[in-house]
Amino acid sequence: MNYRGSYRKLLDNAKAAMVAAIEIYNKPIFKYRDECFIILLLNAWELALKALLSKNGQSIFYPKKRNQPYRTLSWKDALTKSEVLFPKSIPSLPVRRNLELLSTYRDNAVHFYNEKGFGILVCALAQTSIIIFKDLLAEAFDAKIEEEVNWQLLPLGFSTPIDPIAYISEKTNREKPTRAVKQYLSELAESVDEVQRNNYDTGRLLTVFSVKLESTKKIERADVVVGLEGVVKSGGPLAIVKTQDPNITHPLRQKDIVDTIASLHGFNFTSHVFQAIVWKYNLKEKAEYCWQAEEGVLTKYSRDVIAWVKRLTKADIEDALKDYKSHLRAKRERSN
């Protein structure tokens, strides 16, 4: 018996499950939409994780018990075994918390049937999950699932979509939520807090995506899509802030980052080290980390850039300093 399975077949089925999940969610009339969508999404993840194990020569089965049939791993156990195989750019902790929250909804959906608008929170978690899924397939298997989907969807409906941030704010500040909703929001709050404590990007747990019709002539001026900022205390309410004000989304100057990190892998974390990293990894071109005023006189950074920098290895920093030195030398030579 092949205890690893065929990673190519597992991968193909993972992609098929994810595409089916997206198709179901985007049907205009479909009862039991959220439940079916989440079942397929989690199934896609389970298959992808097993494909990752199979590709690396690991079994996707539990140990055989006498007089019992073979059983393949659950998504949770597949994730536990495959965490060490994840690409460096995809930390497993936010992925685990994201999938756990979706699984909690799947297993307890009956408690949320009468909660108007609750599905939008599940959608926000699922959208993030799909993006991470796409990234995992691209980096671990060199597979581009986006090429199999026609993304030209028409985001029109008969009612205005509910903003997930507005929903959470309403439930935590104005309405008295049901016990199930209160528990779910508490779990989300704890997950956000844990991801932040471990210096990971909260955008890998939950991100708010906005969809709007825009003239192609205005695309270069499109709004920055901001993730979330969790402000939580154990057992307390969840506050998520969505704003386009850079003073809130990108509050840090270079000095703030240098002072916060202080030292890393034996390096004194100076302004020069940070500048080398920013240049090497084009952080100024990534809106989730950097904001620059149009007149070019002010540059500010988000809090997520600190977590991103701390994930760099000593070799990464040494390479950045070496390449940055060569860049500055070449720049001086050109100016002379």
Side-chain angles (χ1 to χ4, degrees):
M1 178 176 177
N2 181 2
Y3 290 96
R4 295 176 304 190
S6 166
Y7 90 83
R8 291 183 177 84
K9 290 183 179 179
L10 288 165
L11 181 61
D12 286 343
N13 287 341
K15 291 190 289 184
M18 185 59 79
V19 171
I22 294 170
E23 287 181 349
I24 283 178
Y25 193 85
N26 285 293
K27 287 183 178 294
I29 300 176
F30 194 94
K31 294 184 178 180
Y32 214 62
R33 178 197 308 274
D34 291 348
E35 292 80 1
C36 292
F37 169 57
I38 297 303
I39 288 170
L40 283 169
L41 187 148
L42 289 172
N43 181 239
W45 266 103
E46 180 180 325
L47 291 164
L49 294 170
K50 289 175 180 176
L52 186 60
L53 290 171
S54 176
K55 184 181 180 183
N56 287 273
Q58 298 190 33
S59 174
I60 63 171
F61 289 87
Y62 291 110
K64 177 73 167 65
K65 292 184 178 181
R66 188 175 182 180
N67 298 324
Q68 291 188 14
Y70 288 96
R71 294 191 306 123
T72 61
L73 300 173
S74 66
W75 74 260
K76 288 185 178 180
D77 290 334
L79 176 58
T80 298
K81 286 190 65 175
S82 64
E83 284 177 318
V84 295
L85 305 174
F86 268 44
K88 180 182 174 182
S89 63
I90 306 177
S92 62
L93 175 61
V95 175
R96 177 177 290 277
R97 297 295 172 254
N98 175 278
L99 295 178
E100 284 176 347
L101 286 162
L102 291 170
S103 180
T104 296
Y105 174 80
R106 178 198 63 184
D107 297 341
N108 300 277
V110 67
H111 297 297
F112 304 112
Y113 285 159
N114 297 320
E115 289 296 326
K116 182 179 179 181
F118 186 82
I120 194 64
L121 178 58
V122 175
C123 179
L125 286 163
Q127 285 176 316
T128 302
S129 192
I130 291 170
I131 296 300
I132 304 171
F133 183 89
K134 173 184 73 71
D135 292 344
L136 178 66
L137 263 57
E139 297 195 35
F141 302 97
D142 194 27
K144 296 182 179 181
I145 189 174
E146 64 270 25
E147 294 181 351
E148 301 183 22
V149 180
N150 177 7
W151 290 105
Q152 304 304 314
L153 303 175
L154 195 59
L156 300 178
F158 295 110
S159 60
T160 304
I162 300 174
D163 188 315
I165 304 308
Y167 175 84
I168 294 172
S169 177
E170 182 177 278
K171 287 296 180 185
T172 55
N173 297 324
R174 300 177 185 176
E175 294 186 6
K176 184 177 181 180
T178 64
R179 184 176 180 181
V181 170
K182 185 177 180 180
Q183 181 181 352
Y184 197 88
L185 294 180
S186 178
E187 290 179 10
L188 175 56
E190 291 172 2
S191 296
V192 170
D193 191 37
E194 183 181 12
V195 169
Q196 289 183 322
R197 288 199 314 270
N198 285 274
N199 296 316
Y200 294 125
D201 183 0
T202 54
R204 286 296 194 176
L205 170 66
L206 182 148
T207 305
V208 177
F209 294 84
S210 60
V211 179
K212 63 180 181 179
L213 301 179
E214 183 71 273
S215 166
T216 55
K217 294 181 180 179
K218 298 179 181 179
I219 281 297
E220 71 276 6
R221 300 180 62 84
D223 298 332
V224 173
V225 178
V226 179
L228 63 82
E229 177 184 344
V231 184
V232 297
K233 292 183 179 179
S234 180
L238 175 67
I240 299 181
V241 180
K242 187 181 80 169
T243 177
Q244 294 170 341
D245 182 354
N247 292 307
I248 297 176
T249 61
H250 295 67
L252 305 179
R253 302 297 297 272
Q254 175 179 281
K255 183 179 185 301
D256 300 322
I257 297 170
V258 170
D259 291 344
T260 299
I261 297 179
S263 64
L264 189 63
H265 302 308
F267 292 97
N268 288 327
F269 198 80
T270 64
S271 297
H272 177 75
V273 174
F274 181 61
Q275 290 165 7
I277 292 172
V278 169
W279 173 84
K280 173 73 172 178
Y281 295 98
N282 296 315
L283 294 187
K284 288 187 177 181
E285 304 300 321
K286 299 177 180 179
E288 65 268 34
Y289 299 127
C290 182
W291 174 86
Q292 297 183 82
E294 291 185 1
E295 58 271 19
V297 296
L298 180 63
T299 300
K300 302 182 76 174
Y301 299 89
S302 69
R303 291 185 178 88
D304 283 335
V305 78
I306 294 176
W308 188 91
V309 169
K310 286 184 176 180
R311 292 198 297 270
L312 294 175
T313 65
K314 183 177 181 180
D316 292 333
I317 297 175
E318 290 174 342
D319 287 344
L321 288 169
K322 179 182 177 182
D323 293 346
Y324 189 55
K325 182 178 180 181
S326 298
H327 165 71
L328 292 177
R329 184 187 302 116
K331 187 177 179 179
R332 287 194 298 270
E333 290 174 353
R334 288 195 301 269
S335 63
N336 291 336

